[in-house]
Amino acid sequence: MPCDVDELRATFLFEHLTDDQLAWLCATGHVERHDAGWLFHEGAPAEAFYVMLDGGVALYRRVGQDEVEVSRTRQVGVYLGAWNAYLGDRLPQTYLHSARALEPSRFFVLEAHDFAKLMTEWFPMAVHLLEGVFWGTRDAQQVVGQRERLLALGSLSAGLTHELNNPAAAAVRATGTLRERVAAMRHKLALIADGPFDRATLAEVIRLQEAALERYQDTRTADAVGALETSDLEDRLTDWLDDHGLPEGWRVSPALVQAGIDEVWLDRAAERVDAGALPGTVSWIAYTIETEQLMAEIEDATVRISSLVGAARQYSQLDRAPFRPVDLHELLDSTLTMLDQVLTGVDVVRHYDPTLPPVPVYAAELNQVWTNLVENAAQAMGGSGTLTVTTRRVEDHAEVEIADTGPGIPDDVRPRIFEPFFTTKPVGQGTGLGLDISWRIVVNKHHGDLTVTSVPGDTRFVVHLPLEPAPPAAAPPALD
């Protein structure tokens, strides 16, 4: 269609150009008329720069398999398409949005290489300024993003080290005490061997020992006894032991109480062995129980260490394929374990959908999303509140919802929550990239979506992930 210099001059984009420049535009570019429909698609090679002369246009971003409208306008002079062509081959030249004509519309169209030539020859200083802004922002985002990851890694490492130190110290402490108890039991065994115990008495001592161990195992799975009741029972057992000739009964009574042994049990034991053998029998049973308690303590400590290492391995996804079907619940649990220190004072509630199938994801990167969302929730609640993690299946998508009972996100902040470098934290306490990184991982890498709703006392971030891998993007239709 014919190009009118005066029509170009009437647009806000070209109104200050000279007659020669406008003539060059008309000679180099052209005017196209498009019926309602797609102009170009996100990700396709950016071949042209468009300026709308009349009609209407809408811009879209791809979220999963859907094109989500982000803006629409009928303002004459709006531009779209290959607007960053002036950056040349230093940047992949693809369309950043999809565009659709809302009605029959006319556009002034300039080929991408011609638009790049226009910018570099007519506005060299502006090009340098724009390049500085573009590359500076991009470099800063990469550097600060790396810093964000390092800070998160340091926080996780510190928390993991602290969590590992507690069970490790408990295991070392219990091992030292166990060595002392085993040495004492060897001494007792020597006394028993040299003592006046016959075979029948020794057999009865062994039966009592086994009965005490069974009672101890039953007590471990029973409800805990209160501190006052425990103290009262220890005093009563100490009196019983003193009455039956066992010196310093207060030393062994705590172990007997922990095994659920009371005066009735001791009375029955006293009926089964001679009075002369009773002190040695009770001491032997007490040492046996203490040894079992120490071994259980070491077992609990090493299991805790093993579970922490397993959680760290699951979190980091070492030796795993980068993209594979995984159980989202395992990823969430490993992240919550890694962030246990951050969640001190916070009640964690899990509502997992047991029917949710494995989801194909980049597991290590998705764990970073959970980390950012959980840490933000914990910081918002200030060490007290409820964190609720919910999973569900919604048609062909899996949803993970992370909700907190914090003060909420103000209405004027919520629209900017996923913007890079935007943060409401004090200077030095936040980079403003955590949610931006999370959004890009979910949307760009997994073709899903990340949304937020918030009112005081109820903030919910919802991650939508497709249950099937995204197929390759279809080639865009030819332009009219």
Side-chain angles (χ1 to χ4, degrees):
M1 299 182 65
C3 175
D4 185 349
V5 169
D6 291 332
E7 187 175 30
L8 294 185
R9 184 183 286 112
T11 65
F12 66 87
L13 190 63
F14 299 140
E15 61 181 343
H16 295 298
L17 296 184
T18 65
D19 291 340
D20 290 341
Q21 289 173 328
L22 291 170
W24 184 90
L25 285 175
C26 274
T28 307
H30 59 278
V31 176
E32 293 180 352
R33 183 183 184 279
H34 288 271
D35 293 330
W38 293 105
L39 296 174
F40 52 79
H41 283 263
E42 179 182 347
E47 298 175 343
F49 176 77
Y50 294 80
V51 179
M52 190 174 70
L53 300 178
D54 59 51
V57 67
L59 292 182
Y60 295 79
R61 288 298 304 269
R62 185 179 298 122
V63 177
Q65 300 306 306
D66 302 322
E67 298 281 2
V68 178
E69 182 177 322
V70 294
S71 67
R72 63 169 53 200
T73 184
R74 288 179 169 80
Q75 181 180 358
V76 173
V78 295
Y79 54 91
L80 58 154
W83 61 268
N84 59 1
Y86 63 90
L87 293 172
D89 57 7
R90 290 172 294 172
L91 185 74
Q93 292 297 323
T94 58
Y95 290 119
L96 302 181
H97 299 80
S98 298
R100 185 170 66 87
L102 300 174
E103 58 197 50
S105 306
R106 286 187 312 117
F107 296 88
F108 173 74
V109 181
L110 200 59
E111 298 297 324
H113 61 86
D114 291 325
F115 175 68
K117 179 181 178 181
L118 176 155
M119 290 293 293
T120 55
E121 292 184 359
W122 294 4
F123 311 108
M125 182 176 177
V127 167
H128 288 308
L129 292 173
L130 290 172
E131 286 178 342
V133 171
F134 178 86
W135 295 113
T137 301
R138 180 168 175 168
D139 293 344
Q141 190 167 353
Q142 291 178 347
V143 171
V144 178
Q146 292 173 353
R147 178 65 175 171
E148 179 90 5
R149 293 181 176 90
L150 289 174
L151 288 173
L153 179 61
S155 176
L156 287 171
S157 299
L160 180 61
T161 301
H162 178 80
E163 289 296 316
L164 287 171
N165 181 65
N166 289 337
V172 171
R173 193 166 51 247
T175 301
T177 306
L178 179 62
R179 182 179 291 107
E180 296 176 2
R181 294 294 181 270
V182 171
M185 288 185 71
R186 289 198 301 266
H187 177 68
K188 290 289 183 183
L189 187 59
L191 294 177
I192 290 174
D194 294 337
F197 301 113
D198 55 27
R199 293 173 61 89
T201 301
L202 288 176
E204 195 62 45
V205 170
I206 292 174
R207 282 192 287 270
L208 287 171
Q209 174 186 349
E210 295 302 317
L213 288 177
E214 289 180 6
R215 195 174 185 90
Y216 167 69
Q217 295 298 335
D218 293 339
T219 303
R220 287 191 69 189
T221 59
D223 294 336
V225 179
L228 291 177
E229 186 177 352
T230 298
S231 178
D232 181 60
L233 185 54
E234 288 178 2
D235 291 340
R236 298 205 313 263
L237 287 189
T238 299
D239 294 339
W240 191 97
L241 295 170
D242 290 341
D243 293 341
H244 287 76
L246 186 68
E248 297 184 335
W250 57 271
R251 290 184 180 276
V252 299
S253 60
L256 298 176
V257 170
Q258 289 295 319
I261 292 176
D262 53 16
E263 303 101 308
V264 176
W265 195 94
L266 290 175
D267 286 337
R268 293 173 181 170
E271 295 173 357
R272 295 167 62 176
V273 296
D274 296 336
L278 182 61
T281 299
V282 174
S283 296
W284 179 261
I285 291 174
Y287 277 123
T288 301
I289 293 171
E290 287 181 344
T291 302
E292 193 70 19
Q293 289 173 341
L294 290 168
M295 288 191 294
E297 185 177 344
I298 293 172
E299 180 185 19
D300 291 342
T302 53
V303 167
R304 175 62 176 163
I305 292 172
S306 178
S307 65
L308 285 169
V309 172
R313 189 178 185 86
Q314 174 73 14
Y315 181 87
S316 63
Q317 291 294 300
L318 292 175
D319 303 326
R320 303 290 183 88
F323 184 79
R324 64 186 181 89
V326 299
D327 184 347
L328 292 183
H329 302 148
E330 291 182 358
L331 299 185
L332 290 164
D333 285 340
S334 68
T335 301
L336 292 173
T337 299
M338 294 291 289
L339 295 176
D340 187 62
Q341 281 295 109
V342 176
L343 296 171
T344 301
V346 174
D347 295 326
V348 179
V349 179
R350 295 170 172 87
H351 294 311
Y352 289 168
D353 181 357
T355 66
L356 190 66
V359 182
V361 297
Y362 295 90
E365 296 189 30
L366 205 56
N367 276 339
Q368 188 177 2
V369 175
W370 310 145
T371 300
N372 291 335
L373 297 182
V374 171
E375 281 190 329
N376 280 354
Q379 291 170 1
M381 290 185 286
S384 122
T386 301
L387 178 78
T388 305
V389 183
T390 306
T391 64
R392 63 178 74 92
R393 178 172 183 167
V394 180
E395 298 179 348
D396 60 346
H397 280 68
E399 281 190 0
V400 177
E401 179 183 275
I402 297 178
D404 67 73
T405 56
I409 304 172
D411 292 341
D412 59 332
V413 170
R414 200 177 311 129
R416 303 186 60 193
I417 200 71
F418 297 115
E419 289 183 14
F421 302 111
F422 177 78
T423 179
T424 58
K425 299 175 184 176
V427 175
Q429 295 186 17
T431 62
L433 282 181
L435 291 177
D436 169 60
I437 291 171
S438 300
W439 192 91
R440 286 188 282 116
I441 289 173
V442 172
V443 176
N444 295 343
K445 193 138 192 178
H446 289 88
H447 306 288
D449 195 15
L450 175 58
T451 59
V452 60
T453 59
S454 182
V455 295
D458 186 13
T459 297
R460 300 168 184 260
F461 284 88
V462 181
V463 176
H464 308 261
L465 296 168
L467 292 175
E468 297 294 335
L479 296 179
D480 295 338

